[in-house]
Amino acid sequence: MKPLNPKPSTDLSKDFHAVWHPCTQMKDHETVPPLLIERGEGVYLYDRDGNQYLDVISSWWVNLFGHNHPRLNSALKAQLDKVAHVMFAGITHQPAIDLATRLVELSPDNLKKVFFSDNGSTAVEVAVKMSLQYWRQTGHRNKTKFAYLKGGYHGETLGALSLCGIEMFRDNFEEVLLSNLEVEGPDCYRCPYGLKPDTCQAECFEPMQKTLKEHRDSLAGVIIEPLVQGAAGMKMYPPVYLKKLESACQRQNVHTIYDEIAVGFGRTGSLFVCGECELSPTFLCLSKGITSGYLPLAATLMEDEIYSAFYDDFATMKLFIHSHSYSANPLACAVANESLAMLTENDFLDTLKPKIQALEAGGKRLVELKWVGDFRQTGMIAAVELVKDKGTKEAFPFEDRVGYKIYQEGLKRGVLMRPLGNVIYFVPPLVISIAEIKMMMDTASECIRAVLD
Ligand SMILES: *Cc1c(COP(=O)(O)O)cnc(C)c1O
């Protein structure tokens, strides 16, 4: 075994020997060991040597209120002294009842029930299985496929992966994935229609329109990340696309599954995109920010129409048979209730407005750099796309690992970024200050120049 470099510490050698990290070429750790994080406080993480890192990516898009938050800690400890976990079949508990009630109140009016699971992928699997079983139980046995967008990301378990439009994730598993329909979607930076997102009418909806029309008899649903395709590189598109999707799906009798796992809970500046844009999806999938990054939890909300199709005498066998051991974990629900209270009290979402403006101001400075082809932003989510040539929008080849080099430059400067290919994105905890936003974007600018100039 090759030694770790630079100087291996005992703990990091043990990590190298025993741990396989997600979405990581482990060989990279021969030269760049993982950060050993010891504690967190607010928007900062601290390694064992006391070095501070600004958590620009909210620990994989989950953290809303910063690390080690006193209110979230107390909510968790209070529940811990009562019960840590119970099964959720035949048993219920107050944290889950409160959370489901609040989620139904705060989401669009048509969503009436909440099914809990424990991570984003499972929230998607639940929606997909419910949709399939719904159609089967209502006499549409042929409706067994889903349409998803190119660049769409909905998780990596096999069912969820079958709805992903990103080759890198799919390639090794293509043979066993379910056969769904990939549809060309919005691409606002390189719009093939030559239009601008603030003035267009989502002309790019055409391929989806066509798919819905042609495959209406076999389509169970369409799954979509509303407004921001996260894993695709924070690709953003205007709400008019969603409006068109909603009316087309209603016309063609196809479910809409909104995956707000990344964008939900305030990231876009509003609680949920569907609420903000006055849309009524058949299903809404939530996770990530639901516990502000404390514990794994997910929720799938659905229309009454779906719920009612399963509600019958036991002997009809219309029940939904799907269960996860940690469904509606009480600790997670207790933290989620506290986090949701914090999100919805004292006009918290209004406090984001000046921060959203600060992000925009920072983006405008970044886009002046020679290498920044595009700056895009939806609320508290912002991204810049690096290009070889602004005129042609030519991308850097993936082997150059531009993003990875920028990540390393960021660490040297106390900023934890995790670029997606050539896209550097900013998804900080919502409690980040305006001064920290400025520092974050100025540092990103320095890192880009350090790697590319
Ligand atoms: C992260 C994510 C998922 C998957 O959630 P996991 O908890 O990682 O399984 C699904 N959809 C979107 C849009 C996501 O960002």
Side-chain angles (χ1 to χ4, degrees):
M1 181 73 59
K2 287 182 195 158
L4 278 165
N5 186 27
K7 285 193 207 88
S9 71
T10 322
D11 290 339
L12 287 176
S13 315
K14 283 185 180 159
D15 181 278
F16 198 59
H17 279 111
V19 183
W20 192 344
H21 290 273
C23 208
T24 299
Q25 172 48 265
M26 290 303 295
K27 190 164 188 282
D28 282 347
H29 284 330
E30 283 182 13
T31 46
V32 183
L35 279 184
L36 201 159
I37 292 299
E38 206 161 62
R39 63 185 187 91
E41 190 71 48
V43 296
Y44 295 100
L45 293 165
Y46 296 87
D47 69 15
R48 192 183 20 192
D49 303 322
N51 296 313
Q52 170 180 293
Y53 303 93
L54 178 66
D55 187 358
V56 169
I57 52 170
S58 290
S59 292
W60 256 353
W61 322 350
V62 295
N63 193 299
L64 307 178
F65 291 103
H67 298 276
N68 204 5
H69 194 286
R71 272 184 71 179
L72 298 175
N73 289 5
S74 326
L76 177 55
K77 287 172 186 165
Q79 181 57 38
L80 188 57
D81 285 333
K82 293 179 188 163
V83 64
H85 186 66
V86 279
M87 69 186 286
F88 204 57
I91 291 176
T92 194
H93 49 80
Q94 201 60 45
I97 296 170
D98 292 346
L99 181 57
T101 307
R102 272 310 262 161
L103 288 174
V104 169
E105 278 168 13
L106 294 166
S107 61
D109 284 346
N110 68 312
L111 301 173
K112 299 291 192 200
K113 294 283 191 295
V114 180
F115 190 97
F116 288 110
S117 59
D118 51 15
N119 65 74
S121 308
T122 58
V124 168
E125 300 268 349
V126 166
V128 162
K129 284 177 69 179
M130 274 183 185
S131 173
L132 290 171
Q133 191 176 336
Y134 169 89
W135 290 121
R136 190 182 165 93
Q137 281 171 188
T138 56
H140 297 86
R141 281 178 172 252
N142 292 334
K143 280 176 150 323
T144 56
K145 286 184 194 306
F146 293 86
Y148 60 88
L149 292 185
K150 189 166 179 212
Y153 178 85
H154 304 287
E156 289 164 65
T157 53
L158 282 176
L161 191 59
S162 304
L163 305 160
C164 271
I166 303 179
E167 281 164 27
M168 181 179 68
F169 293 104
R170 295 178 66 101
D171 271 357
N172 288 318
F173 311 99
E174 203 63 68
E175 287 77 9
V176 301
L177 295 180
L178 305 172
S179 72
N180 291 314
L181 300 169
E182 182 167 303
V183 181
E184 198 74 41
D187 187 357
C188 296
Y189 177 41
R190 297 180 173 84
C191 178
Y193 302 80
L195 299 169
K196 292 269 173 280
D198 36 358
T199 49
C200 77
Q201 289 306 309
E203 282 72 3
C204 57
F205 186 70
E206 204 185 310
M208 182 61 86
Q209 179 95 34
K210 199 159 161 268
T211 303
L212 282 164
K213 229 172 159 171
E214 275 172 19
H215 298 275
R216 54 167 299 169
D217 295 334
S218 63
L219 269 178
V222 175
I223 186 162
I224 190 157
E225 290 164 274
L227 300 187
V228 183
Q229 292 189 295
M234 301 295 163
K235 283 172 78 176
M236 299 177 188
Y237 61 90
V240 57
Y241 188 95
L242 297 170
K243 300 240 190 253
K244 284 190 165 178
L245 179 67
E246 180 157 305
S247 41
C249 284
Q250 275 164 5
R251 263 199 316 277
Q252 308 296 359
N253 205 22
V254 168
H255 293 151
T256 44
I257 304 174
Y258 270 34
D259 178 349
E260 295 210 28
I261 291 165
V263 295
F265 298 105
R267 283 283 173 214
T268 64
S270 51
L271 199 57
F272 301 120
V273 172
C274 50
E276 175 71 16
C277 299
E278 295 179 1
L279 292 158
S280 310
T282 320
F283 296 93
L284 173 63
C285 301
L286 302 171
S287 186
K288 290 207 164 101
I290 194 169
T291 62
S292 191
Y294 266 59
L295 287 162
L297 181 69
T300 307
L301 281 72
M302 75 298 298
E303 289 191 311
D304 232 7
E305 168 77 14
I306 304 292
Y307 179 78
S308 308
F310 292 70
Y311 192 90
D312 208 336
D313 295 327
F314 180 78
T316 62
M317 286 309 278
K318 286 184 180 173
L319 73 164
F320 185 54
I321 304 184
H322 183 100
S323 44
H324 295 288
S325 312
Y326 285 93
S327 297
N329 171 259
L331 297 174
C333 289
V335 180
N337 283 322
E338 192 69 9
S339 175
L340 202 47
M342 288 157 66
L343 266 175
T344 51
E345 70 192 12
N346 303 326
D347 299 318
F348 175 79
L349 292 175
D350 285 340
T351 68
L352 300 179
K353 287 182 183 148
K355 302 183 189 187
I356 291 169
Q357 284 167 3
L359 264 178
E360 190 183 345
K364 285 192 173 144
R365 288 196 303 277
L366 279 173
V367 90
E368 285 167 13
L369 295 180
K370 183 178 165 199
W371 310 109
V372 175
D374 189 34
F375 167 68
R376 40 192 185 249
Q377 181 185 10
T378 302
M380 288 294 285
I381 307 172
V384 291
E385 183 160 336
L386 305 176
V387 286
K388 258 184 139 158
D389 180 323
K390 277 200 200 193
T392 61
K393 303 181 181 179
E394 190 195 341
F396 289 99
F398 89 97
E399 314 85 89
D400 284 5
R401 304 192 78 185
V402 168
Y404 186 60
K405 290 173 189 159
I406 287 169
Y407 156 77
Q408 287 170 271
E409 289 296 326
L411 289 187
K412 285 189 214 161
R413 293 166 174 81
V415 170
L416 175 63
M417 298 179 279
R418 194 182 155 91
L420 291 156
N422 298 324
V423 176
I424 322 256
Y425 66 89
F426 308 93
V427 182
L430 304 181
V431 293
I432 190 171
S433 71
I434 288 176
E436 285 158 344
I437 289 176
K438 189 164 181 305
M439 187 278 254
M440 159 178 97
M441 298 188 89
D442 288 347
T443 308
S445 170
E446 270 180 41
C447 297
I448 293 169
R449 279 178 291 153
V451 172
L452 295 174
D453 273 356

